[in-house]
Amino acid sequence: MIHAIIVDDEPLAQDILETYLEKIPQIELIAKCDNAFEANDVLKDRDVDLMFLDINMPQLTGTDFLKGLTDPPVTIFTTAYPNYALEGFELNALDYLVKPISTERFLTACNRAIEQAELKQKANAGEVVEEKSGADFFFVKADKKLVRVNLADIVYIEGLKDYVIIRMPEDRVITLQTMKSLDERLPNANFQRIHRSYIVNLNRIEALHGNMVEVKEKGKTTSLPVGKSYREVLASRIEGFKL
């Protein structure tokens, strides 16, 4: 069971989300908070897996509140302001829902949250097993076994709180691991951190436009955000590949 809270200063918005959540048996609503300070008290006293967080609230905005949390739950922003979307994703939010929120859009976000919780349960081990110097592969612990990952097969790596998903063209490997420790073990020549939540294989980038990069995954194009602090380095590395 996923334990969730709603943080919103509008009672009507709280009621709408609560009604939606009643249709999702995997998620249990344990608290409704009118502001960030109430939410902070709940986070101290209860185990919270998922937080639906409004942005424009009095005293402390949702984004500032999330920035101040050292170990935040999975967060889905619910707001009437679409212009905060980039900042929301840079704060590692799972999704960004713009009011009025349709039932279909809400269910899609919740299904992602449920999937993330299930993946976390399956990822039962963490560290990368040291590879030989110069090797073109490494091993990670996943699903109670050591799994080989070929560097050339990696499209990108996605960090989700306390575990990572190593995404390849036709497969993925989930392991308990920090992005920092994995980033330190990847060869700098081929991989670049582009966001708090993403490391990309430079050889897999199809296009770069604005604050997004495009990669191919399972025959489809996937767009990944580029964080502000990573843009300059990524642009300089891409420049080195230009003819």
Side-chain angles (χ1 to χ4, degrees):
M1 181 67 70
I2 298 173
H3 295 150
I5 64 172
I6 295 170
V7 188
D8 199 309
D9 62 322
E10 298 179 4
L12 178 59
Q14 291 184 5
D15 292 343
I16 291 173
L17 295 184
E18 183 176 14
T19 300
Y20 286 167
L21 286 173
E22 289 173 352
K23 303 175 183 178
I24 306 174
Q26 299 95 326
I27 301 177
E28 178 186 2
L29 179 63
I30 62 172
K32 294 190 294 182
C33 307
D34 296 331
N35 54 63
F37 298 100
E38 289 184 13
N40 194 53
D41 290 338
V42 174
L43 292 177
K44 289 179 180 178
D45 296 336
R46 305 287 299 274
D47 291 328
V48 178
D49 305 302
L50 176 61
M51 177 167 62
F52 297 93
L53 181 61
D54 188 20
I55 289 181
N56 190 23
M57 296 185 293
Q59 296 180 291
L60 186 64
T61 66
T63 51
D64 287 340
F65 173 54
L66 187 58
K67 288 176 185 177
L69 296 177
T70 56
D71 187 23
V74 173
T75 300
I76 296 175
F77 278 115
T78 57
T79 178
Y81 300 92
N83 50 306
Y84 291 105
L86 180 59
E87 182 180 6
F89 285 117
E90 287 182 344
L91 291 173
N92 208 23
L94 179 69
D95 211 332
Y96 190 98
L97 306 181
V98 179
K99 300 173 183 177
I101 303 167
S102 68
T103 306
E104 293 78 11
R105 185 68 181 86
F106 185 80
L107 289 175
T108 297
C110 287
N111 284 334
R112 291 186 64 200
I114 293 168
E115 179 186 16
Q116 180 168 326
E118 291 175 346
L119 292 176
K120 182 177 179 180
Q121 293 171 0
K122 292 178 181 178
N124 60 356
E127 71 274 10
V128 173
V129 177
E130 292 291 344
E131 69 279 4
K132 292 182 179 180
S133 178
D136 58 0
F137 64 91
F138 58 82
F139 286 88
V140 294
K141 292 180 180 178
D143 291 331
K144 300 181 180 180
K145 59 186 176 182
L146 291 176
V147 178
R148 173 171 168 152
V149 178
N150 294 319
L151 294 173
D153 291 340
I154 299 173
V155 179
Y156 66 96
I157 298 167
E158 181 178 4
L160 295 172
K161 200 174 181 181
D162 51 3
Y163 67 97
V164 299
I165 303 176
I166 302 172
R167 296 192 180 271
M168 293 163 280
E170 301 298 332
D171 197 8
R172 66 182 181 184
V173 175
I174 306 131
T175 180
L176 284 173
Q177 178 77 210
T178 66
M179 289 287 281
K180 180 180 178 181
S181 63
L182 191 55
D183 191 17
E184 290 173 348
R185 289 174 167 85
L186 292 170
N188 291 331
N190 298 326
F191 292 89
Q192 176 63 46
R193 185 81 172 263
I194 63 169
H195 188 276
R196 287 178 57 189
S197 302
Y198 295 102
I199 299 170
V200 68
N201 185 340
L202 294 173
N203 296 316
R204 296 283 187 169
I205 293 178
E206 298 284 331
L208 170 65
H209 56 93
N211 299 322
M212 307 293 289
V213 297
E214 292 182 358
V215 296
K216 281 288 181 65
E217 181 188 13
K218 294 185 177 181
K220 299 185 297 184
T221 298
T222 299
S223 295
L224 305 175
V226 180
K228 292 180 181 179
S229 60
Y230 302 96
R231 291 174 196 164
E232 186 175 345
V233 174
L234 177 63
S236 65
R237 298 201 66 181
I238 294 295
E239 188 72 21
F241 288 97
K242 288 177 63 177
L243 295 177

